[in-house]
Amino acid sequence: MANTDTVSQKSEEVEGLLQRLHEGVDHGRVPVGLYGNSAVYEQELRQIFGRCWVFMAHESEIPNAGDYVVRKIGEDDFIVTRDQEGGIHVLFDACRHRGVKVARASAGNTKGFVCPYHGWTYDIKGRLTGAPLWKSAYGEMEKADKGLLPATQVDSYQGLIFATLDDKTPPLKEYLGDMAWYLDLVFGLNEHGVEVLAPPQRFVIEADWKSGADNFSGDDYHLGTLHRSAIDIGAFPVPFAENMKGYHIQASPGHSLSFSMAASEEEPGPRFFGFPEELNSTFDTSRISQHQLDAARMSRVFVGNVFPNFSILLLPTTDDASKHPATGMLTIRCWQPKGPGKIEAWNWFVGYKNMTPELKQRTYASGLATFSMGGTFEIDDTEPWITIARTGRSVAGEKLQMDMNYEMGLPGVGIATQIKDGSWPGPGIVYKSRFEEGVQRNLFRFYGAMMSAPPDRFPALRFEADEADARAEVPAQA
Ligand code: FES
Ligand SMILES: [Fe+2]
């Protein structure tokens, strides 16, 4: 009985927080109690990570037959494999006999997997192929339905492999919606495409996964304060005020992004995210439109988040401004949930395949110096996120019903203006100026929809109004 009470108290607590989110998000209010909260976290694992398309790996990590990497959906291990025909499989890493983990390394090349407990064996597609002393133990037992369980849907886009555990989740392309236009712009800049430069870095942060998603949805405002020292030493070559010029874009429900962009051809500063001319001259329209290519040319920074926890960042950085000018650096990352208020950051550095070995080395070194566990920017970001999770867990935050503030860019707040005249060539709800937090309101609106939608119904993947923030014009206390 006590247990039942605890469970219902917990779900009441979550419901209360979500109700406050639903009422507040259009007005820029998000309850801090959603962060670091164990009851909320349990619901996120099922309602969000159990249903959304989750990033697994880049195809270049498993180029050959037999290659595999072990990745996560929520807290659960999945083996991502490449078979002899080039097909990709995402297999629940749990032996069908007793549920024992069968992949004993985080990556490798193999013909199959042998369970360490009783020795059931599986091939690279996850099919059960045998077991010790099969005849005595199992004789004529059917093998066909006893392979490793595959993720319910697996697909890839621009080499990015995603999987979901739910058959009601719309197909990947539909789920990405107009975010695909922006993924094309980053990953399809030339005919060669991209590859990961090294295995991912992994490091644990005592922070909520939503802090990473929120930050990479377009929290550009923190740069001038939190990263001031990194800017002072030239790790990033664009002055703060200049860097705030650009666009905030709600590409699709949940998926947001931000561009720092020169306002005109005359303005100085990096083009094509700071890549050198030798690479820029290979960027073309073989896989993207002229509009996408033009936007990329004018861009200094691209940062975005595919809901829930897959982030992309492309910008000029350097490991040592006194020795090397900044060069373009592309990182993709997952904010892997690892318990309430705890994440394991997975961080890949990515290069265009046609970069010279020297340029790959340069971009990798600049990434390690800035956006890695020991990187200047990463260290800066981590500390505040830890304290947000702490505030989220606090008794004071709960008793005082504390909300975080996301009002920037709401009607009458700040300088951002929504572009409605078609002057931006891409899709989505677009704001000029990066002094704007609609990108995060979009993240939290969809977060709320996912958390509250019945398990058998995936939320609608369209903006409710032509302009998502139009509803914000309703008076706050109406
Ligand atoms: S648990 Fe895997 S073979 Fe028994
Ligand atoms: Fe940052």
Side-chain angles (χ1 to χ4, degrees):
M1 195 60 206
N3 268 347
T4 319
D5 285 352
T6 315
V7 169
S8 72
Q9 269 170 15
K10 279 190 164 188
S11 71
E12 252 176 58
E13 180 195 1
V14 177
E15 284 316 303
L17 286 164
L18 289 174
Q19 191 55 38
R20 277 172 53 203
L21 174 68
H22 295 311
E23 288 165 9
V25 65
D26 288 349
H27 312 291
R29 299 193 303 267
V30 174
V32 78
L34 290 168
Y35 280 56
N37 177 315
S38 58
V40 170
Y41 178 76
E42 287 301 320
Q43 191 158 324
E44 288 172 350
L45 286 182
R46 280 167 185 76
Q47 291 282 104
I48 293 177
F49 292 95
R51 299 200 292 173
C52 288
W53 284 95
V54 174
F55 177 72
M56 296 278 97
H58 190 267
E59 286 182 12
S60 64
E61 293 182 88
I62 47 168
N64 302 311
D67 285 350
Y68 73 94
V69 291
V70 178
R71 297 289 149 81
K72 300 265 188 195
I73 298 180
E75 292 194 12
D76 306 325
D77 282 353
F78 282 78
I79 317 172
V80 186
T81 71
R82 175 85 70 176
D83 68 28
Q84 307 295 337
E85 292 84 43
I88 291 168
H89 305 265
V90 176
L91 308 164
F92 185 30
D93 186 5
C95 177
R96 292 295 303 283
H97 186 213
R98 292 285 194 281
V100 169
K101 182 172 164 59
V102 300
R104 294 287 153 163
S106 60
N109 183 280
T110 186
K111 286 198 163 51
F113 302 92
V114 182
C115 178
Y117 199 179
H118 312 91
W120 280 29
T121 55
Y122 302 92
D123 69 10
I124 200 74
K125 293 181 178 175
R127 295 177 298 203
L128 179 66
T129 49
L133 304 171
W134 180 269
K135 276 234 150 45
S136 304
Y138 298 112
E140 300 308 310
M141 185 179 84
E142 185 58 51
K143 291 195 187 100
D145 60 346
K146 297 180 183 68
L148 297 175
L149 293 169
T152 311
Q153 300 185 62
V154 178
D155 202 356
S156 64
Y157 190 79
Q158 286 287 2
L160 307 163
I161 304 165
F162 291 83
T164 172
L165 301 181
D166 201 317
D167 60 357
K168 286 167 208 76
T169 307
L172 178 63
K173 188 76 200 299
E174 200 179 312
Y175 177 80
L176 292 173
D178 286 333
M179 190 68 179
W181 196 90
Y182 298 97
L183 297 180
D184 292 344
L185 186 154
V186 171
F187 297 101
L189 267 176
N190 64 26
E191 61 180 316
H192 307 284
V194 303
E195 62 188 6
V196 298
L197 296 174
Q201 289 198 328
R202 296 160 56 174
F203 44 93
V204 173
I205 310 172
E206 300 280 342
D208 194 293
W209 66 270
K210 298 190 286 300
S211 283
D214 164 330
N215 185 286
F216 279 68
S217 291
D219 194 304
D220 319 302
Y221 185 49
H222 75 283
L223 207 82
T225 308
L226 187 67
H227 299 308
R228 201 180 125 186
S229 53
I231 295 175
D232 283 349
I233 61 167
F236 172 68
V238 186
F240 174 60
E242 191 62 26
N243 186 51
M244 292 304 284
K245 290 181 184 170
Y247 299 88
H248 268 190
I249 300 171
Q250 302 173 39
S252 294
H255 314 316
S256 293
L257 62 118
S258 165
F259 281 104
S260 168
M261 200 175 276
S264 71
E265 295 282 356
E266 289 69 47
E267 279 190 10
R271 293 292 185 267
F272 283 118
F273 313 99
F275 285 117
E277 185 49 34
E278 69 187 77
L279 182 68
N280 295 351
S281 60
T282 73
F283 294 153
D284 60 21
T285 54
S286 56
R287 292 169 63 188
I288 55 174
S289 70
Q290 189 64 47
H291 283 315
Q292 286 161 308
L293 187 68
D294 290 343
R297 180 185 305 104
M298 300 300 283
S299 294
R300 302 143 168 167
V301 180
F302 172 97
V303 59
N305 188 66
V306 175
F307 190 90
N309 66 332
F310 176 59
S311 291
I312 303 150
L313 174 66
L314 174 50
L315 80 176
T317 58
T318 176
D319 55 329
D320 185 344
S322 67
K323 296 203 180 92
H324 318 285
T327 190
M329 189 281 292
L330 174 56
T331 167
I332 59 176
R333 43 199 33 224
C334 267
W335 313 106
Q336 207 58 64
K338 202 178 170 64
K342 193 170 181 180
I343 44 182
E344 183 168 68
W346 287 60
N347 183 27
W348 295 256
F349 296 106
V350 177
Y352 294 87
K353 284 183 185 163
N354 65 326
M355 283 173 159
T356 60
E358 293 74 27
L359 187 52
K360 283 180 182 168
Q361 186 59 24
R362 173 95 342 266
T363 188
Y364 187 45
S366 71
L368 285 173
T370 51
F371 285 91
S372 74
M373 185 65 251
T376 44
F377 286 78
E378 200 82 52
I379 292 169
D380 289 346
D381 282 320
T382 300
E383 206 280 335
W385 297 357
I386 294 170
T387 69
I388 298 171
R390 209 177 294 151
T391 306
R393 285 192 295 266
S394 67
V395 174
E398 180 188 321
K399 299 289 280 183
L400 302 173
Q401 300 264 294
M402 182 178 165
D403 288 330
M404 297 182 287
N405 184 289
Y406 292 86
E407 288 184 63
M408 201 192 298
L410 281 175
V413 184
I415 61 167
T417 52
Q418 195 177 334
I419 293 184
K420 297 176 180 173
D421 62 3
S423 57
W424 173 258
I429 293 164
V430 184
Y431 284 83
K432 188 159 186 174
S433 170
R434 303 172 92 203
F435 287 102
E436 203 273 338
E437 290 173 337
V439 283
Q440 286 118 332
R441 293 191 293 274
N442 178 41
L443 164 73
F444 283 109
R445 263 190 212 105
F446 192 66
Y447 169 86
M450 287 300 309
M451 287 289 273
S452 297
D456 61 348
R457 190 161 50 78
F458 201 85
L461 287 173
R462 58 178 184 278
F463 292 118
E464 277 184 26
D466 196 23
E467 311 125 30
D469 278 340
R471 285 175 291 150
E473 291 173 37
V474 177
Q477 299 307 322

